[in-house]
Amino acid sequence: MSHTNDDGSKPEDGPFGTTSSYSTTRSDRTRQALDEFVLTPFSIIWSDVRARLGFLIIVCYLLLGTVGVALVHSPQPNETERMLAPLQLLQYPLGADALGRGIFAQLVHSTPAMLQIMLSGGLWVITVGTTLGMIAGYKGGKLDTAIMFTSDTVMMLPGLPLLILVVTILQPKSPIVLGFILSLTGWAGLARAIRSEILSLREANYVEASRIMGLDTGYILKNDLLPNIMPYVLINLVNSMKGMIFASMGLYFLGVLPFTNLNWGIMLNNAYQQSGALYTWEAAHWLLAPMLTVMILAFGLVMFAQGCDRLFNPRVRARHEKRTTTEESNTEDSPTVMESNY
């Protein structure tokens, strides 16, 4: 016997989708999804000082990489005094380099490329490492042996020499392609760590109950196992993103990668090569500006990841979901100003 909702649509997919005659409307499901994926996570993040601070820092960098490039003009040679010290002119708050280009404008216009490298490399590492680690840990057998043999082989490769060899041959110009190349070997260690976590979780009572009910592997991995390792995955995502930034800056500083666009690593290379910033105080601002920019971004990512541990705590989520629902109910039940006047 099939059940349909009031609006004629089929009930949600899932093992419990037809066990109750209770049906919800489309607006109820939209409100539930909005509460589950937007309001409750934001409430949890905002209630934690570390997550709030990290969230604000990340938002600032996202604004720099999107709105900032439209508001700040692209740096051009000889637009101001060469090696201008910081805080001398309002339009050049961080000074200028040896070519007379504003350092603040270089930082702003370098941000989009760095964000693309960070996101593409970090997401690739997390997606591949988590997926393969979960499959290997849950399925076991020959599939586990094959995946772990592959990951162990990748882990034995010399990371830095391999990266230098690959980028020298390919000379990637796209930040997204560069992020992918930097993450070629990063997934292997995560896959092995995730496998260990899954081995300890796959014999849990609730996982065994799901197997007895005949639920498929994809459902068990997604709904029973993945939520329990999400804090670990989130921390590794942040570490991977930091690793992408540091690796790309190191390769640009060494001059291995082509100078096709503005980049914080290119700024470091220019500060060292053109002005000897390591040995003269007059050029120190040229060297310190990109370093501080990276340190603040890394700090924001770490704070955000530490605070987001609570996102996957069932007790914390239940408390915030209840608070959000109560606030919405009070808002709907409370009379409006016009009604109260009557």
Side-chain angles (χ1 to χ4, degrees), residues 221-238:
L221 292 178
K222 176 184 175 184
N223 296 280
D224 291 342
L225 297 177
L226 183 61
N228 288 282
I229 61 172
M230 278 308 294
Y232 184 76
V233 172
L234 191 60
I235 291 293
N236 278 274
L237 173 62
V238 171

Side-chain angles (χ1 to χ4, degrees), residues 55-75:
F55 176 76
L56 292 176
I57 291 175
I58 294 172
V59 168
C60 287
Y61 276 82
L62 291 177
L63 291 176
L64 277 181
T66 53
V67 182
V69 294
L71 298 179
V72 179
H73 67 85
S74 178

